Amino acid sequence: MDMPVAKKKLGLKERYALMTRGLDWQTTYQPMDKVFPFAKYEGIKIHDWDKWEDPFRLTMDAYWKYQAEKEKKLYAIIDAFAQNNGHLGVTDARYVNTLKLFLNGISPLEYMAHRGFAHVGRAFPGVGTRVACLMQSLDEIRHSQTQIHSMSNYNKYYNGMHSFPKMLQRVWYMSVPRSFFDDAVTAGPFEFMIAVGFSFEYVLTNLLFVPFVSGAAYNGDMGAMTFGFSAQSDEARHMTLGLEVIKFVLEQDPDNLPIVQRWIDKWTWRGYRVLTLVAMMMDYMLPKRVMSWKEAWEVYFEQNGGALFKDLARYGIRPPKWLDQIEFDKDHISHQAWSTLYQYGGASNFHTWMPSDEEMDWLSAKYPNTFDKFYRPRFEHWRDEQKKGNRFYNMTLPMLCQTCQIPMIFTEPGDPTQTCYRESTHKGMKYHFCSDGCKEIFDHEPEKYKQSWLPVHQIYQGNCFNPGVDPTAEGFKPLPVVLDYYGVGFGRDNLDFEGSEDQKNFAAWRGAATTNV
Amino acid sequence: MSFALTIEPLGQMLTVEEGQTILEAALRAGIYLPHACCHGLCATCKVQVSDGEVDHGEASNFALMDYERDEGKCLACCAIPQSDVTIEADIEEEPDARNLPVHDYAGSVARIDNLTPTIKGVWLDLDRPMDFQAGQYINLRIPGESAPRAFSIASDPRDGSRIELNIRHVPGGRATTWVHQQLAQGERVQLSGPYGRFFVRESSHEAQQLSYLFLAGGSGLSSPRSMILDLLARGCTRQITLVNGAREAAELYHHDEFEALADAHPNFTYVPALSAEPEDSGWRGARGFVHDAAKAHFDNDFREHKAYLCGPPLMIDACITTLMQGRLFERDIYTEKFISAADAQQARSPLFKRI
Ligand SMILES: Cc1cc2nc3c(=O)[nH]c(=O)nc-3n(C[C@H](O)[C@H](O)[C@H](O)COP(=O)(O)OP(=O)(O)OC[C@H]3O[C@@H](n4cnc5c(N)ncnc54)[C@H](O)[C@@H]3O)c2cc1C
Ligand code: FES
Ligand SMILES: [Fe+2]
Ligand SMILES: [Fe+2]
């Protein structure tokens, strides 16, 4: 009798290859270039798609099962949080403003990431890359959903979270995160992957998620903390994809190097500018601080990123441009951003406030060379004015940078007393920038960035009023109608935290929860 | 108590010390398992336990679900074996690995000679022959030292009874000083082996028609020598190039042997390179470091090769950069770093896995 021969078990890699490779074919009715129309125009040369190494070997079947289970756990925690009035357990109601920032500015970007990966996945002729993009696209839509669900409980009790999709499109400072992602999804597929897959998901992601998730944990928000953990178990896969993309592209052809280098320069700078909002959140908005922006930058970018760029140097990649300026600015941007949002507190969709004495001391300790010298005097002045009943609201609309769309609030490299302005002329029109980085990005692609939808320009052009508004009418006041158009309730969703409905309600509810009246 | 860990699909067996995680043990043994956070959060290191018991340690409930625990999954970065364990990991199968078992051996010094002013040749007669793959190393016990020291086998694997080691003297190093100043013919030695995953990937060379490139620095000639002797003896017909770096002519060893091999085998090229040879010495070969000599020899184009790098960490680093700039990448680069206690572990990014 024959002995059964033990068949050698296939390795995971081989098994995965059998399930995912060879799914595509050479088209015959239409040329391949027509089927994949975006694959070549960026100048990236790919000779052998089979050299793509699957960054994560997960089948759809295993994926569903795993994510479904994760979701079950997450929703159980969210439900418990809602039922037990978990929102009353946070440090104080100022904390909720970080969630407003997140829900309005970040969660919709998760959705854009979902769209972006779905789109570029379709655009790549390589099947391994397509599958990886598909997986990440699914992760991203889950991230946006779970974030919205986690935070929807807060929407029942607090102001400013009622129409985030509309606000992302309309509210002035929201154009900063929105234009970042619009820029990425309107780029070619390879640029998108370097922009989002590599620069954002790999190089900068820790600077976004760690502050928010640890911020939630430090401030007693179990709901938000849990979605953070649930997302973190996907993040490693995304980071691996980012690394695989850059290796693959650089190894395929030496001509790809300068193109990729330009994208790394551009997207590190673009991402860094968006992170200004996180910097401000970390230093000013968390009642209980996790670490300062400067510390986070040093740990997550300078140390971890330093090791990465040392390894990338082997491909001929150098660290991103303008790092010297970023390094200088790490002592400044959070203070500059908070000053801005404070001044424009009448036009935004969350509350602002001046830090307490204790908080200012923390800032001095974290920024010994800059806070007391450049920012504390201004803040104390504003606080004194507020005490006298003159809470300062700036009613003049700021000039915006054509590229990052942040108001011109940043200072000259090396001189924090001088506002930085740059300009370029393109086809007879002048464009303005906050920095050398933003100017250079524009100069390379003026036809793209001249189309920027700048909220201030749009207001002046009369494009930010609801139908029926007549700006020529006697005594016309623009601010109320613009806020109407934004969907922001003046005085309820914005202005100072002191005296806000959020503040009063939280105090009353917490009082009711902890006393016997 | 330590346990045996078997890693599939490699079939490699290794020892996990008490309290050590599976990931730690694997990495220490030179086996790369995918990992990222190392704290049980990201699930990158998830592996299937196909036999045995583990303690899941700090594994997060989101990274390792209950049903996955029931199915026998674990996170290698947190899992601590409670018995002998077999795991199935997401790593590439190595068709050329022989996965030989490690044993303890005893033997005596048959010969010990100065190969150069800083390198000794040590020939050991083992009491019973050791089966090893060309390129692998042994751990040599040093009298009075608790930790053994690693030395690559420099001789042809077809003779497992007498093995040759090439040992460079590390100034201030306990073990190498002992070898250089005390070890004498006839002395008894204890060692264990064979270790390591530095061997030629012959099946890939054949399948993809790739040439062999060996880059050696100092006593890092040991493994490449064994590999080249083995390849030539088995009638390999692919192109084989050895770039061998030394400071000066007096530091070159086995030089005549390699010249003779190059004469006898048209597919073997020998490129010795000296980095600090006096200008007027009459040396007509390449000058500069190994990576410079390799770059010049191949005109900065290393495609269609697999490269095997052996020697001190700095030399390996420089060679990897040169190879990558000459368009040979991680999948075709294999290294054996001669790390000693002086080489501090540097911060690394996860961009590269093996190199
Ligand atoms: C896989 C492998 C294969 C190898 N093959 C070979 C081979 O074929 N031939 C060969 O010559 N070598 C080889 N080596 C290198 C060899 O193992 C070392 O040179 C040897 O272990 C040194 O031992 P030692 O006791 O002489 O020096 P050690 O005592 O280990 O010290 C080495 C040096 O570090 C200094 N030092 C010690 N402790 C510290 C500390 N904490 N911080 C800073 N400095 C310190 C010492 O003063 C000395 O200069 C190999 C290494 C590996 C890993
Ligand atoms: S390495 Fe992240 S969970 Fe193990
Ligand atoms: Fe995400
Ligand atoms: Fe800008």
Side-chain angles (χ1 to χ4, degrees):
Chain A
M1 206 183 97
D2 283 346
M3 287 292 284
V5 181
K7 202 156 167 260
K8 200 167 174 329
K9 248 180 129 175
L10 289 177
L12 281 175
K13 181 182 180 176
E14 287 167 301
R15 257 184 285 158
Y16 191 75
L18 285 176
M19 281 187 289
T20 54
R21 295 301 166 86
L23 297 176
D24 52 348
W25 61 93
Q26 289 289 319
T27 55
T28 50
Y29 301 162
Q30 291 287 335
M32 287 293 268
D33 284 351
K34 269 195 164 171
V35 178
F36 296 105
F38 305 128
K40 291 187 178 154
Y41 82 94
E42 297 170 275
I44 293 291
K45 295 177 186 156
I46 304 296
H47 304 288
D48 182 3
W49 282 99
D50 283 342
K51 285 258 159 56
W52 172 269
E53 298 205 6
D54 302 303
F56 27 86
R57 292 157 198 160
L58 199 58
T59 59
M60 272 338 272
D61 191 40
Y63 181 88
W64 292 135
K65 201 169 164 192
Y66 178 53
Q67 302 297 3
E69 201 69 20
K70 248 164 58 177
E71 225 85 316
K72 244 190 256 164
K73 274 210 163 91
L74 173 63
Y75 283 96
I77 293 172
I78 295 175
D79 286 348
F81 186 78
Q83 275 162 20
N84 300 328
N85 278 326
H87 67 101
L88 294 178
V90 303
T91 36
D92 80 52
R94 290 183 303 167
Y95 166 75
V96 179
N97 291 287
T98 66
L99 296 179
K100 298 179 192 176
L101 201 58
F102 199 96
L103 180 68
N104 284 298
I106 307 294
S107 302
L109 298 196
E110 299 269 20
Y111 182 69
M112 287 305 285
H114 152 70
R115 293 179 61 191
F117 278 104
H119 170 65
V120 301
R122 167 62 183 84
F124 287 125
V127 64
T129 324
R130 283 211 296 273
V131 173
C133 289
L134 168 72
M135 294 281 192
Q136 180 154 358
S137 158
L138 290 170
D139 279 343
E140 300 299 358
I141 199 166
R142 277 188 32 254
H143 290 179
S144 88
Q145 281 174 346
T146 52
Q147 287 165 19
I148 292 163
H149 285 149
S150 303
M151 287 184 279
S152 69
N153 179 48
Y154 284 92
N155 180 42
K156 293 187 195 149
Y157 303 100
Y158 303 93
N159 295 318
M161 305 170 104
H162 51 282
S163 63
F164 59 91
K166 184 158 137 188
M167 290 199 185
L168 182 81
Q169 302 301 321
R170 299 185 177 187
V171 175
W172 61 279
Y173 77 95
M174 283 290 139
S175 81
V176 175
R178 174 166 66 91
S179 67
F180 171 87
F181 239 94
D182 286 356
D183 191 354
V185 296
T186 51
F190 288 102
E191 183 174 351
F192 177 86
M193 291 301 278
I194 300 296
V196 178
F198 175 73
S199 299
F200 207 74
E201 290 280 354
Y202 189 83
V203 184
L204 300 175
T205 191
N206 278 333
L207 283 158
L208 178 64
F209 277 95
V210 177
F212 273 107
V213 176
S214 318
Y218 270 52
N219 288 279
D221 182 356
M222 299 311 286
M225 193 185 85
T226 313
F227 83 61
F229 277 139
S230 142
Q232 196 175 1
S233 52
D234 301 323
E235 248 13 90
R237 263 186 292 125
H238 301 175
M239 292 168 92
T240 326
L241 174 56
L243 290 180
E244 175 54 27
V245 164
I246 198 152
K247 286 173 77 172
F248 175 70
V249 170
L250 290 172
E251 290 178 12
Q252 283 289 315
D253 197 288
D255 291 351
N256 296 342
L257 175 66
I259 305 176
V260 170
Q261 180 72 59
R262 183 180 280 284
W263 287 338
I264 290 179
D265 292 346
K266 167 178 170 181
W267 287 101
T268 307
W269 182 258
R270 295 282 279 117
Y272 161 72
R273 272 296 188 238
V274 174
L275 290 178
T276 305
L277 291 171
V278 179
M280 163 187 106
M281 183 284 279
M282 293 182 77
D283 285 346
Y284 287 90
M285 296 175 68
L286 289 176
K288 199 159 184 269
R289 315 281 205 255
V290 176
M291 56 165 85
S292 69
W293 161 254
K294 184 180 171 182
E295 288 165 329
W297 180 260
E298 286 166 354
V299 173
Y300 295 114
F301 189 86
E302 293 177 6
Q303 284 172 28
N304 298 357
L308 172 71
F309 281 101
K310 206 172 137 262
D311 282 345
L312 279 173
R314 290 186 161 151
Y315 288 106
I317 289 284
R318 52 159 177 71
K321 258 183 156 176
W322 309 297
L323 281 190
D324 43 344
Q325 180 178 349
I326 297 179
E327 149 110 37
F328 180 83
D329 283 355
K330 70 188 174 193
D331 269 311
H332 298 279
I333 58 165
S334 63
H335 319 304
Q336 294 170 343
W338 187 244
S339 309
T340 308
L341 269 303
Y342 178 83
Q343 291 174 56
Y344 289 102
S348 63
N349 55 354
F350 65 95
H351 299 297
T352 51
W353 55 87
M354 271 297 113
S356 67
D357 282 334
E358 195 187 282
E359 286 164 342
M360 290 214 211
D361 290 346
W362 183 87
L363 289 162
S364 313
K366 294 294 179 186
Y367 297 95
N369 301 324
T370 55
F371 184 72
D372 285 353
K373 189 162 171 204
F374 300 107
Y375 304 103
R376 189 194 276 259
R378 188 191 314 173
F379 289 174
E380 284 177 348
H381 171 72
W382 277 340
R383 209 173 52 181
D384 292 347
E385 287 300 302
Q386 183 170 1
K387 279 197 194 117
K388 288 186 251 163
N390 297 327
R391 165 56 157 100
F392 176 59
Y393 288 110
N394 193 334
M395 288 301 170
T396 313
L397 298 187
M399 184 182 210
L400 302 183
C401 170
Q402 186 77 20
T403 304
C404 70
Q405 312 206 5
I406 298 179
M408 306 288 217
I409 60 171
F410 300 109
T411 45
E412 278 294 339
D415 183 1
T417 62
Q418 192 61 47
T419 303
C420 182
Y421 293 104
R422 299 288 181 270
E423 58 178 57
S424 292
T425 302
H426 174 67
K427 294 194 174 155
M429 291 283 277
K430 242 182 209 166
Y431 297 89
H432 302 272
F433 311 98
C434 71
S435 56
D436 294 326
C438 282
K439 173 177 156 57
E440 190 174 314
I441 291 167
F442 174 93
D443 288 346
H444 187 63
E445 293 169 274
E447 290 299 323
K448 181 170 196 179
Y449 294 101
K450 74 175 195 190
Q451 303 172 60
S452 295
W453 193 93
L454 298 179
V456 171
H457 291 197
Q458 296 302 321
I459 292 171
Y460 281 132
Q461 286 170 26
N463 296 332
C464 296
F465 309 136
N466 281 329
V469 169
D470 176 13
T472 60
E474 188 77 24
F476 173 75
K477 283 212 177 68
L479 182 64
V481 293
V482 168
L483 289 180
D484 237 18
Y485 172 79
Y486 286 175
V488 171
F490 184 76
R492 184 193 67 208
D493 297 332
N494 61 10
L495 299 188
D496 205 279
F497 176 72
E498 198 54 45
S500 66
E501 219 172 79
D502 277 3
Q503 185 191 33
K504 286 181 204 146
N505 285 339
F506 183 79
W509 292 330
R510 177 121 97 185
T514 54
T515 58
N516 292 316
V517 271
Chain B
M1 192 181 156
S2 63
F3 295 110
L5 170 65
T6 309
I7 301 181
E8 300 289 4
L10 302 180
Q12 177 92 25
M13 249 227 282
L14 45 104
T15 310
V16 191
E17 299 304 332
E18 169 117 41
Q20 207 177 26
T21 64
I22 290 179
L23 179 65
E24 258 170 45
L27 293 178
R28 268 174 188 281
I31 297 173
Y32 178 87
L33 297 183
H35 62 282
C37 73
C38 295
H39 296 296
L41 294 174
C42 72
T44 310
C45 63
K46 196 178 292 169
V47 297
Q48 177 75 41
V49 180
S50 45
D51 193 28
E53 290 296 318
V54 300
D55 173 13
H56 291 294
E58 313 247 276
S60 139
N61 281 332
F62 285 102
L64 188 68
M65 301 290 170
D66 293 339
Y67 82 88
E68 294 179 302
R69 292 168 202 239
D70 295 344
E71 285 174 0
K73 296 269 188 332
C74 77
L75 300 180
C77 71
C78 301
I80 298 175
Q82 306 295 305
S83 69
D84 288 352
V85 163
T86 302
I87 62 163
E88 197 189 327
D90 184 5
I91 34 182
E92 258 156 78
E93 217 167 332
E94 293 273 14
D96 300 295
R98 291 183 55 208
N99 297 312
L100 297 167
V102 172
H103 293 295
D104 291 327
Y105 293 86
S108 52
V109 178
R111 213 177 111 201
I112 177 161
D113 273 342
N114 285 334
L115 294 174
T116 80
T118 63
I119 298 171
K120 287 245 191 234
V122 180
W123 286 262
L124 303 175
D125 279 339
L126 303 181
D127 296 354
R128 62 193 166 96
M130 177 195 290
D131 195 8
F132 68 94
Q133 254 187 294
Q136 288 192 293
Y137 68 93
I138 52 111
N139 269 334
L140 185 66
R141 293 243 152 251
I142 311 296
E145 285 285 293
S146 56
R149 301 295 197 274
F151 297 101
S152 305
I153 306 172
S155 46
D156 189 326
R158 267 152 320 133
D159 183 359
S161 313
R162 173 171 291 193
I163 60 169
E164 175 186 336
L165 307 178
N166 304 153
I167 299 184
R168 200 177 74 81
H169 183 221
V170 179
R174 304 270 287 272
T176 55
T177 304
W178 169 75
V179 168
H180 275 251
Q181 296 179 359
Q182 290 178 29
L183 190 65
Q185 193 175 351
E187 205 160 324
R188 296 289 294 166
V189 291
Q190 310 283 328
L191 53 93
S192 59
Y195 294 100
R197 305 193 61 77
F198 190 58
F199 48 81
V200 294
R201 271 60 178 179
E202 197 171 353
S203 49
S204 300
H205 284 271
E206 293 307 319
Q208 300 164 49
Q209 315 214 347
L210 304 175
S211 302
Y212 292 87
L213 171 57
F214 295 93
L215 302 178
S219 57
L221 185 57
S222 47
S223 289
R225 178 166 181 266
S226 176
M227 294 155 126
I228 291 166
L229 292 177
D230 185 38
L231 283 171
L232 292 176
R234 287 191 292 112
C236 169
T237 54
R238 304 216 160 271
Q239 283 300 323
I240 303 174
T241 307
L242 166 65
V243 184
N244 179 29
R247 279 181 56 76
E248 57 221 2
E251 285 293 340
L252 281 176
Y253 62 100
H254 292 326
H255 180 66
D256 298 339
E257 177 195 40
F258 283 118
E259 298 222 294
L261 283 172
D263 286 343
H265 299 274
N267 62 325
F268 175 59
T269 310
Y270 173 54
V271 183
L274 301 181
S275 59
E277 174 73 359
E279 283 300 325
D280 54 3
S281 71
W283 169 254
R284 281 178 293 126
R287 285 172 185 272
F289 291 113
V290 181
H291 60 279
D292 299 324
K295 183 174 175 177
H297 184 82
F298 287 94
D299 199 16
N300 196 23
D301 183 355
F302 298 102
R303 287 175 297 180
E304 313 298 315
H305 284 89
K306 271 184 185 286
Y308 302 88
L309 284 51
C310 189
L314 277 179
M315 167 234 148
I316 293 201
D317 243 41
C319 287
I320 292 174
T321 302
T322 300
L323 290 174
M324 287 186 52
Q325 264 143 39
R327 311 216 58 75
L328 193 74
F329 301 107
E330 185 174 26
R331 77 172 61 78
D332 294 314
I333 301 177
Y334 304 86
T335 66
E336 187 78 292
K337 280 188 194 167
F338 283 7
I339 298 167
S340 78
D343 301 299
Q345 218 31 57
Q346 288 185 350
R348 294 209 39 185
S349 81
L351 188 67
F352 300 113
K353 297 175 171 147
R354 293 185 296 101
I355 60 175

